Amino acid sequence: MRSIINITIVAVIALCSSYVSGQEDEIKAINSLPDRVFAVDFYLQRALPSGDNFVGNGLSNGTGYGIRMQYDIYKNIYAGGALTQDFFSVKDTDAIGEFNRATKFNAYLFLGYDYQLNDDWNITADLGYGYSQNKNRQSTEQGGGKFKDTGNVFRITTSIEYNLFSATSLYLSPSYESISYNIKSAPALGDTFDKGKFINLALGIRFNVRDYRNVPLKDADNQELIDLQKRDRDDLSISERRKLYFLKKREARRLRRERRRNN
């Protein structure tokens, strides 16, 4: 008899623990922003040439802009592509050549990790590789000519991000890039024209799409949302799926605000 009582007590304790754990997971999921599945970035950038080479010795600090798109592929690991353009003036023609300004264009793919510190802050880091091109222009006094230098860019990009809203955030992004140029030069110049290095500092805005499909909404008071959740997702039309997404997003924000006020 005593063993039966002991087993019953253990079972009750286990059930209660499971229920409490489930409630804590539900509250945590509601209070936290859902995972990001897609993002688009627009940013302004300050580009600083560096190193003892034709870039570091010949170009002044530049200003540019860029756009990035990233997709979550597995548990906060993301992949994407980026386009950047930076504008430079020449400070030393002896080091870089007879032209007075250059425009650097990069197009590359990247792979990285997105770490959510809390509901307000994120940190990201990624590695990128792709194509780079410098469009060089001479002044009228120099002859008015145009020519290009091409190469491959390797870029390390990091960011610290503050979430203004669930769909919008601001971020500060330090990055480093090394470009291997396909420039033929005299052997006596060594590796002066082989590589160019840049340290960049960007300020940008990020637009996010988050995954609300698994957000628990047992306390939802929107009847249309409740009805859509009860139906099989495969039976929903495209417009109904879109409506379900935005209803869950709005309801999740409401529940998160209510729980924060109550706490």
Side-chain angles (χ1 to χ4, degrees):
M1 182 67 180
R2 181 176 298 176
S3 60
I4 295 176
I5 293 175
N6 290 340
I7 292 173
T8 303
I9 292 173
V10 170
V12 170
I13 292 173
L15 287 173
C16 290
S17 299
S18 176
Y19 175 77
V20 170
S21 177
Q23 290 292 98
E24 289 178 350
D25 290 342
E26 179 181 344
I27 291 172
K28 182 179 178 181
I30 290 174
N31 286 339
S32 301
L33 283 174
D35 290 338
R36 176 163 46 208
V37 294
F38 175 70
V40 178
D41 298 0
F42 299 95
Y43 63 85
L44 297 176
Q45 175 173 279
R46 188 65 168 164
L48 312 177
S50 66
D52 185 16
N53 50 57
F54 79 104
V55 165
N57 297 326
L59 291 179
S60 298
N61 295 339
T63 303
Y65 60 89
I67 179 173
R68 288 164 46 103
M69 299 176 66
Q70 68 184 55
Y71 300 84
D72 183 79
I73 55 177
Y74 180 74
K75 292 186 177 180
N76 296 334
I77 296 174
Y78 61 83
L83 302 174
T84 70
Q85 190 152 271
D86 299 287
F87 305 92
F88 303 90
S89 59
V90 172
K91 65 180 181 181
D92 188 349
T93 55
D94 291 337
I96 199 169
E98 197 64 26
F99 59 96
N100 74 331
R101 54 198 172 105
T103 301
K104 177 170 63 68
F105 169 76
N106 289 339
Y108 61 93
L109 301 176
F110 56 82
L111 182 70
Y113 187 77
D114 182 359
Y115 180 71
Q116 184 172 336
L117 290 173
N118 52 47
D119 212 32
D120 295 321
W121 294 93
N122 279 62
I123 294 176
T124 68
D126 53 71
L127 301 177
Y129 185 80
Y131 172 78
S132 184
Q133 178 189 92
N134 282 4
K135 293 182 180 180
N136 307 311
R137 294 177 175 83
Q138 295 178 327
S139 65
T140 304
E141 293 77 12
Q142 293 171 324
K146 300 178 182 179
F147 60 97
K148 299 177 182 178
D149 297 321
T150 62
N152 294 311
V153 59
F154 171 74
R155 178 165 172 142
I156 303 172
T157 304
T158 61
S159 77
I160 178 73
E161 172 187 358
Y162 179 73
N163 296 301
L164 297 173
F165 311 102
S166 62
T168 310
S169 52
L170 291 176
Y171 66 89
L172 183 67
S173 175
S175 63
Y176 167 82
E177 62 184 59
S178 176
I179 302 174
S180 300
Y181 286 103
N182 304 315
I183 300 175
K184 294 181 180 180
S185 59
L189 295 174
D191 58 0
T192 303
F193 287 88
D194 287 348
K195 286 186 179 294
K197 298 177 181 180
F198 300 86
I199 297 172
N200 311 302
L201 185 63
L203 180 65
I205 185 169
R206 180 169 291 155
F207 299 99
N208 308 295
V209 176
R210 299 185 181 276
D211 186 1
Y212 284 88
R213 290 174 299 177
N214 297 321
V215 175
L217 296 174
K218 295 178 182 178
D219 298 332
D221 60 2
N222 186 301
Q223 189 58 48
E224 186 176 19
L225 171 58
I226 294 172
D227 293 340
L228 286 172
Q229 286 187 125
K230 288 179 180 179
R231 294 172 56 186
D232 190 328
R233 183 175 175 83
D234 294 335
D235 295 335
L236 298 177
S237 65
I238 294 176
S239 62
E240 287 174 329
R241 291 181 186 180
R242 189 182 300 115
K243 181 178 292 186
L244 176 61
Y245 171 83
F246 285 107
L247 285 173
K248 292 195 77 171
K249 181 178 179 180
R250 186 169 59 190
E251 188 68 9
R253 285 203 304 262
R254 184 187 68 80
L255 291 174
R256 201 159 53 241
R257 287 196 299 267
E258 284 187 0
R259 290 185 181 275
R260 284 179 173 178
R261 283 198 298 266
N262 295 334
N263 292 334

